[in-house]
Amino acid sequence: MLLGESVRIGITEIRMHKLRSLLTMLGVIFGIAAVIGVSSIGAGAAAGLNKQLALLGTNTIRVRKVELKGPDAVSARRNSPYGMTLDDAAAIREVLPSIESLSPIKYRKDLNAFSGDETLQADIVGAGPELPQVVGYRMKTGRFISDIDEKEAKQVVVIGADVRRAAFPLEDPVGKQLVIAGQLYTVIGVVAARGSGGGETVIDVGNVDRQIFLPVNTVLRRLSPNTDPRAHNLDEIVIKVGDEALHASTAQVVENLLSRRHREAKDFELLIPEELIRQQQEAEAIFQNVLIFVAGLSLLVGGIGIMNIMLATVTQRTREIGIRRALGATRNDILGQFLIESLIISLLGGGIGIGIGYAMAEGMEQYVGFETLIPMQAVVLATGVAAGVGFVFGFYPSMKAAQLDPIEALRSE
C-alpha cells in the first residue's frame, strides 16, 4: 500500500470520528503546549538574565552602602563616621593591581532636573570617569565625564537616551544646559540607549536611559551641603576585575580592606552580579525542570490515551482488516496503516499544542509582563516528541492489528 493512500485513509478515519480523535489528542495537546510554554519561559528568563548581566557589567564587584538601624547604626557611626568614601575607593585601587577600572557612585534621587520649565523624569547620579569602562556604557554623542571634570567638580552632565528625548527632542543636546538644585549644568554627552533589561535586575541600578550623570565630586561638594559627615559618603563603588580567575580573591581582599578601614563596622556589603545571576539561573532551572516533568506526565497520559483508543479501533475494525488481508494486504501494510493513523493523531495534537503554547507565551508577555522567547529548537523538539509519542504508543495496537488472522477477522461481526 502506498504511503499517500495510507495517509488519506488515516485522515478519513479521523474525520469520521472527530470527537473521539480530539479527545485522543488532548493529552498530547496539553503536554506539547506545556513544553512550548516552559521553553518560552526558560529562554525568556535566560535572555533577561543576559541583559541584566550586560547592564550590570561582566566581572564586576559592587560594594554597596548598608543602612543600619538601632545599636548597629550607633556603633557604625562611632567606628566609621564617614561611611564609604572616595578615600576607600582610592585605597582599593592602590592595593589591588588586578582591578581594571573602578568608579565611585553617589545617588541623589531626591533632586529634580529641569529643562526650561519642564521637570525631567530622571535620577541624578554622581559617577567617576571610568564608569563606562566598568559597566560597558557606550556614548551616543559627545563624551563622558573626564578626570578634569571630576577633579575640579565641574558643573557638567551626561544624560541618558530618555532624558535626551524629553529635554532636547529635536536638537543636539551637547552644549545645552539643565538646571539642578538651582544651578546650571552643561550637557557634554549622551549615553547610548541601554534599556532596563526587561524588568528589575538582581541588583537595582535604575534605568540608565533615565539617569543624569555628574562628576561624583560635583555631587558631593555642590549638591550635598549637609553638615552630617555621612551626607558626603558614597552609595556604591563599582569595580571591574581584569582577570576572571582573580574575581573571587579580589572580592575577598576588598572586603577585608574595607572592614579594616571601617573598624569592622558592617555598613557596606559586597554584591557580585555574576554570582547572583548564576544563583537565580540555578533556581529557575529547578523550576523549569519541575514544569518539564509535569509536561512529561501529561504526554505520558496522552500516549496512553492514544494506545487505548487505537486498541479499541482495532477491535472495531477487525472485519475491515480481514477484508484488506483477503484482498492482498500484507501484515506490514496493516501495521503501517494503523501506525500512520496513530502518528497523524499525535502530530495533529502536537501542532495544536504548539499553537496553544505560542498563545500562552504571548499572553504571558502581554498581560503578565514576563519576557518570553520561543526558541526554534523547542518547536522542533515538540514536533519530534509528538511523533515519538504517536509511534511508541501506537506501535503495540498496530502490531496487534497486523497479527490478526485474516480468516478469523472475516468472521468477525
Side-chain angles (χ1 to χ4, degrees):
M1 185 182 295
L2 296 176
L3 177 62
E5 181 68 13
S6 296
V7 172
R8 186 188 65 78
I9 294 172
I11 293 174
T12 301
E13 181 67 23
I14 292 170
R15 292 177 62 186
M16 287 175 60
H17 303 90
K18 295 183 182 67
L19 181 59
R20 184 184 72 184
S21 299
L22 178 61
L23 293 174
T24 306
M25 296 176 192
L26 283 180
V28 176
I29 290 173
F30 293 140
I32 295 299
V35 168
I36 294 295
V38 169
S39 298
S40 69
I41 292 171
L49 290 174
N50 288 335
K51 288 181 181 178
Q52 289 187 22
L53 190 57
L55 288 172
L56 296 168
T58 56
N59 285 349
T60 58
I61 300 168
R62 288 179 177 259
V63 186
R64 183 162 287 189
K65 176 177 69 176
V66 173
E67 295 290 351
L68 300 173
K69 296 180 181 180
D72 290 337
V74 174
S75 175
R77 281 181 177 273
R78 182 175 60 250
N79 295 330
S80 179
Y82 297 100
M84 195 159 59
T85 65
L86 289 174
D87 288 339
D88 288 331
I92 292 171
R93 185 186 295 278
E94 182 179 350
V95 169
L96 288 163
S98 60
I99 289 176
E100 184 177 291
S101 48
L102 175 150
S103 174
I105 293 178
K106 177 70 175 181
Y107 297 105
R108 287 303 305 271
K109 295 183 179 181
D110 57 320
L111 297 178
N112 291 323
F114 298 88
S115 176
D117 295 330
E118 181 182 359
T119 303
L120 301 175
Q121 300 297 317
D123 295 326
I124 308 301
V125 181
E130 295 182 3
L131 184 63
Q133 289 77 35
V134 177
V135 291
Y137 292 170
R138 292 185 301 104
M139 299 303 296
K140 177 70 174 178
T141 185
R143 63 175 177 84
F144 201 72
I145 297 161
S146 70
D147 291 329
I148 296 295
D149 297 331
E150 171 67 18
K151 183 177 180 180
E152 298 181 1
K154 288 188 175 182
Q155 292 181 223
V156 296
V157 296
V158 176
I159 60 177
D162 289 351
V163 179
R164 183 259 172 90
R165 279 191 289 269
F168 312 103
L170 302 175
E171 53 187 335
D172 184 358
V174 176
K176 301 297 188 295
Q177 291 185 320
L178 300 177
V179 177
I180 302 174
Q183 305 170 17
L184 285 175
Y185 287 81
T186 303
V187 178
I188 59 172
V190 179
V191 177
R194 297 267 291 184
S196 58
E200 294 183 357
T201 55
V202 294
I203 302 173
D204 180 23
V205 293
N207 187 340
V208 176
D209 298 340
R210 295 179 56 184
Q211 291 177 337
I212 298 176
F213 298 96
L214 288 71
V216 69
N217 255 329
T218 302
V219 174
L220 294 176
R221 296 179 189 176
R222 299 181 185 274
L223 298 178
S224 301
N226 198 309
T227 55
D228 182 353
R230 281 183 169 256
H232 299 267
N233 64 10
L234 300 175
D235 292 306
E236 197 169 357
I237 299 173
V238 189
I239 303 163
K240 184 175 181 66
V241 182
D243 188 348
E244 185 177 356
L246 299 175
H247 201 213
S249 60
T250 300
Q252 187 62 56
V253 172
V254 169
E255 184 169 17
N256 294 339
L257 173 64
L258 293 183
S259 292
R260 288 196 301 271
R261 289 181 59 84
H262 290 220
R263 298 178 183 176
E264 305 302 324
K266 300 299 182 182
D267 56 353
F268 69 92
E269 63 179 348
L270 262 68
L271 302 173
I272 303 176
E274 285 178 283
E275 183 176 319
L276 294 174
I277 287 175
R278 191 179 305 112
Q279 291 171 358
Q280 190 168 330
Q281 286 174 329
E282 290 173 357
E284 289 181 353
I286 293 172
F287 175 70
Q288 189 173 0
N289 289 336
V290 171
L291 291 180
I292 290 175
F293 177 74
V294 173
L297 288 179
S298 182
L299 284 170
L300 177 63
V301 172
I304 293 172
I306 289 175
M307 179 183 288
N308 186 41
I309 295 299
M310 290 302 295
L311 285 171
T313 301
V314 170
T315 302
Q316 291 174 357
R317 296 166 64 185
T318 300
R319 187 171 178 80
E320 175 192 332
I321 294 169
I323 292 172
R324 289 187 181 179
R325 289 296 306 278
L327 293 175
T330 65
R331 286 187 173 182
N332 286 338
D333 290 334
I334 301 300
L335 174 66
Q337 177 62 56
F338 280 86
L339 200 54
I340 286 171
E341 289 182 20
S342 175
L343 285 170
I344 291 173
I345 290 174
S346 188
L347 287 173
L348 281 174
I352 297 171
I354 290 172
I356 293 175
Y358 266 94
M360 288 168 56
E362 185 66 24
M364 288 190 66
E365 189 157 348
Q366 292 294 326
Y367 300 107
V368 181
F370 190 94
E371 182 180 5
T372 58
L373 178 65
I374 300 179
M376 183 53 63
Q377 56 264 35
V379 177
V380 174
L381 174 64
T383 303
V385 168
V389 167
F391 181 85
V392 171
F393 288 93
F395 189 78
Y396 175 71
S398 301
M399 281 290 295
K400 188 172 182 181
Q403 290 172 356
L404 285 175
D405 184 271
I407 298 176
E408 293 297 326
L410 282 171
R411 290 177 179 171
S412 174
E413 295 295 335

